[in-house]
Amino acid sequence: MSEKIIILDFGSQYTQLIARRVRELNVYCEIHPFNNLPDFDDAVKGIIFSGSPFSVRQEGAPQIDYTELQQRFPILGVCYGAQYLAQKSGGEVLPSEIREYGRANLQFVDTSNELLSGVPVQSQVWMSHGDTIKEVPANFNIIASTDKVRVAAYHVAGTRTYGIQFHPEVTHSTDGQVLLKNFVVGICGCAQDWTSTAFAETTIAELKEQLGDDHVIMALSGGVDSTVAAVLLHEAIGKNLHCIFVDHGLLRKNEYEQVLDSYKNMGLNIKGINAKDLFYGRLAGVSEPEQKRKIIGASFIDVFDQAAKDIQNELPDGLEAKWLGQGTIYPDIIESISVKGPSATIKSHHNVGGLPDFMKLKVVEPLKTLFKDEVRRVGKTLEVDPNILGRHPFPGPGLAIRVLGDITEEKVRILQEADDIYIRNLKETGWYDKVWQAGTIFLPVQSVGVMGDERTYEHVVALRAVGSLDGMTADWIHLPYDLLAKISNEIINHVKGINRVVYDISSKPPATIEWE
Ligand code: XMP
């Protein structure tokens, strides 16, 4: 089993970022909530206590009994984690009298301490806390200070326990990665051998072992996650992986054909299913967004179920597909065990391809320990088509939630044409790869225009482009005016039915990325 670092999550918004940074050092790590501890077996090399929205002084603040862990493993407390360790050992944590938020510089650094080796005096760190450690017990050595925060970092003498009141995982902490490396490599002794090649090799070997001669059925969406998961499975079991790609008629222009071709070129055993009429039929006259999502989710399951039955029937006698492959990734799993409970559902994000209960297949999810950017790197190692790896996220219900109001084939066609011009221009100018997600929205309004001598009364489309890390927050992108002008002209001149183009300049929150 490969070695790992455990991050105990006390609910900080930065916990996932710590995990990403540790993994950037080619060291595998897992996040576990403080109130549901994992097994601490021999693979564990060290533990990081995360920050928290709680104050250690608050009633109901997260608590754990770490006495035994402290004897067995190196521990690094970050922010709340550091304050908690200090308070539990008899130190004093009080509300800060001065603002301890934002950039600060380390005025004192004990570089003889292994945690801070290579971190220079004046190094910039990112502070974000309402409490501060006022007093530490006698055996806590202060190893770094800023002019305002005396206990910026400490080492508990005679142990491998450390605490820092700043956030090394945030890029504003300029030597944060040096510090994390000192901890996971120097102090915990991790070998830094967790690379995408190593991940792919081990995963393929594990899948072979797990699946043997079994058959697996899997729905692909054309997206990065399901594709990379399928390629891993394909490498492990070859033709015993049966893939299904459904055309619900709500994909981008020509996307169905292009993606299906890529899949075939990759050697996947794939079956394309044109289910356009079924989806359009069931969606006719429906304009409420959640209702659209439900219809699409349910229809998808119907189509998938039928296709899976067909595959079962085609298998030689006595054989049955026992497994369902899924492209689940790590954030899908950690969110559902978050300390504060799942965040309120604003939109029901169906995981299209979700398992209908009655199918009773076992689930195999080769990517469930990876973040999105890691999935892309594994995909690159596996030589997945760069067009698929670089694709923007695209919602499962597709253009159904980008045609506001009720859906008709004609509206979808107009939207596909406009969107195709938009995306092509982004690609030609290099903006596509700088944008996290872009798309076109068909608005349910008509507006007056003039073409030649004629008055027109036609449709409006909105263009959206956002920058984001994970879709939870997003900023609108400042596309150059010249580019917007060119796109607008092309759309109005070439797409019959549109006489006005607008650009969405809202960020999330308070707006969402999709309009529905
Ligand atoms: P919002 O609109 O909530 O979108 O800011 C955040 C991300 O989620 C995608 N999205 C969906 N994905 N099914 C999906 O599979 C959905 O119903 C859905 N709604 C939004 C959206 O494209 C963005 O990437």
Side-chain angles (χ1 to χ4, degrees):
M1 181 189 264
S2 73
E3 51 190 29
K4 63 184 165 195
I5 297 287
I6 298 287
I7 301 171
L8 288 186
D9 184 17
F10 293 105
S12 163
Q13 55 169 334
Y14 292 128
T15 304
Q16 288 195 26
L17 204 49
I18 302 181
R20 286 182 192 211
R21 295 280 178 255
V22 170
R23 288 167 173 219
E24 277 167 20
L25 295 163
N26 296 334
V27 172
Y28 178 64
C29 64
E30 284 172 4
I31 300 174
H32 292 273
F34 75 95
N35 53 6
N36 187 10
L37 297 182
D39 278 346
F40 287 93
D41 54 26
D42 290 344
V44 177
K45 295 289 166 205
I47 307 174
I48 297 178
F49 287 9
S50 83
S52 175
F54 283 92
S55 153
V56 292
R57 296 169 298 100
Q58 224 172 321
E59 208 177 312
Q63 305 268 345
I64 63 160
D65 179 1
Y66 59 84
T67 333
E68 196 205 319
L69 296 178
Q70 193 174 24
Q71 281 157 11
R72 289 179 58 203
F73 305 104
I75 295 180
L76 175 66
V78 177
C79 230
Y80 177 93
Q83 294 166 351
Y84 181 68
L85 288 163
Q87 193 208 39
K88 276 282 170 197
S89 311
E92 192 176 16
V93 177
L94 294 173
S96 338
E97 285 149 18
I98 38 148
R99 199 174 129 85
E100 290 180 11
Y101 179 82
R103 294 174 176 81
N105 295 89
L106 296 178
Q107 304 293 352
F108 158 70
V109 182
D110 176 2
T111 44
S112 70
N113 188 286
E114 200 172 357
L115 185 71
L116 298 178
S117 163
V119 176
V121 173
Q122 284 305 325
S123 176
Q124 177 180 293
V125 293
W126 182 258
M127 297 282 181
S128 170
H129 45 98
D131 279 353
T132 196
I133 304 174
K134 269 278 175 266
E135 293 301 332
V136 285
N139 62 333
F140 277 47
N141 296 328
I142 297 174
I143 54 173
S145 313
T146 69
D147 56 350
K148 294 187 186 130
V149 180
R150 194 168 60 94
V151 193
Y154 63 73
H155 174 206
V156 183
T159 73
R160 294 179 296 166
T161 301
Y162 301 79
I164 45 180
Q165 287 207 87
F166 52 89
H167 286 276
E169 69 278 16
V170 174
T171 49
H172 306 305
S173 293
T174 40
D175 298 291
Q177 200 62 347
V178 175
L179 186 150
L180 284 176
K181 184 174 176 191
N182 289 342
F183 182 68
V184 300
V185 180
I187 295 164
C188 302
C190 292
Q192 294 188 283
D193 53 5
W194 189 73
T195 58
S196 38
T197 316
F199 174 86
E201 280 168 10
T202 346
T203 307
I204 293 165
E206 284 167 4
L207 289 171
K208 276 188 182 151
E209 172 85 25
Q210 182 184 11
L211 301 169
D213 290 330
D214 284 357
H215 288 253
V216 177
I217 297 181
M218 181 164 187
L220 302 191
S221 68
V224 182
D225 305 341
S226 65
T227 307
V228 175
V231 173
L232 282 167
L233 282 161
H234 176 75
E235 295 280 325
I237 61 168
K239 294 283 174 214
N240 284 1
L241 171 70
H242 306 265
C243 302
I244 296 163
F245 182 39
V246 178
D247 183 7
H248 50 19
L250 300 157
L251 296 169
R252 294 194 138 113
K253 188 179 171 186
N254 298 333
E255 195 167 32
Y256 177 67
E257 295 74 13
Q258 283 164 3
V259 171
L260 201 54
D261 281 349
S262 303
Y263 283 151
K264 287 184 179 151
N265 290 338
M266 286 189 263
L268 293 179
N269 179 9
I270 177 112
K271 191 170 173 184
I273 297 175
N274 179 344
K276 250 174 161 167
D277 292 343
L278 177 92
F279 282 87
Y280 281 146
R282 292 191 185 173
L283 286 167
V286 178
S287 39
E288 207 279 312
E290 286 303 289
Q291 189 63 20
K292 290 185 196 173
R293 282 188 169 85
K294 288 204 179 91
I295 291 173
I296 291 169
S299 309
F300 185 87
I301 287 173
D302 290 347
V303 174
F304 180 74
D305 185 40
Q306 185 53 50
K309 281 193 185 119
D310 293 347
I311 289 172
Q312 292 279 16
N313 291 337
E314 284 161 21
L315 288 179
D317 273 354
L319 272 183
E320 73 180 304
K322 294 192 191 122
W323 297 87
L324 179 82
Q326 287 201 307
T328 319
I329 63 171
Y330 199 36
D332 304 333
I333 295 173
I334 10 186
E335 252 172 69
S336 58
I337 52 172
S338 94
V339 175
K340 285 181 288 175
S343 52
T345 306
I346 298 170
K347 298 175 188 181
S348 63
H349 289 193
H350 293 283
N351 187 2
V352 172
L355 179 65
D357 287 344
F358 57 86
M359 286 186 62
K360 300 203 177 57
L361 293 172
K362 290 188 274 184
V363 178
V364 53
E365 300 166 308
L367 301 175
K368 68 172 181 227
T369 57
L370 298 192
F371 288 109
K372 190 100 183 175
D373 43 340
E374 295 165 344
V375 174
R376 287 210 170 91
R377 278 198 288 277
V378 171
K380 211 167 159 202
T381 305
L382 295 167
E383 294 176 4
V384 172
D385 184 342
N387 284 322
I388 290 190
L389 289 185
R391 267 176 49 144
H392 289 172
F394 188 68
L399 301 181
I401 55 167
R402 293 189 183 164
V403 170
L404 306 195
D406 74 309
I407 300 163
T408 63
E409 213 166 333
E410 177 63 0
K411 289 182 191 173
V412 173
R413 194 196 57 76
I414 294 177
L415 177 59
Q416 281 176 332
E417 294 299 331
D419 183 70
D420 188 53
I421 293 174
Y422 180 36
I423 299 296
R424 183 169 40 73
N425 271 281
L426 292 181
K427 286 189 172 158
E428 281 169 8
T429 52
W431 276 95
Y432 185 85
D433 292 334
K434 293 188 223 160
V435 163
W436 191 76
Q437 185 171 15
T440 313
I441 299 102
F442 184 96
L443 306 188
V445 284
Q446 282 173 282
S447 81
V448 174
V450 47
M451 275 204 187
D453 292 332
E454 302 252 324
R455 175 187 183 280
T456 59
Y457 189 57
E458 288 178 329
H459 291 285
V460 187
V461 289
L463 308 178
R464 181 102 168 109
V466 295
S468 178
L469 263 183
D470 50 15
M472 303 297 281
T473 61
D475 290 319
W476 65 275
I477 296 280
H478 295 223
L479 289 180
Y481 283 175
D482 289 352
L483 177 59
L484 287 170
K486 178 167 180 278
I487 294 166
S488 160
N489 276 339
E490 257 183 69
I491 291 177
I492 293 172
N493 288 336
H494 291 103
V495 186
K496 202 164 170 293
I498 296 178
N499 66 355
R500 194 176 296 269
V501 175
V502 297
Y503 189 58
D504 183 349
I505 53 167
S506 341
S507 288
K508 173 181 179 177
T512 49
I513 297 176
E514 305 294 346
W515 283 39
E516 279 195 342

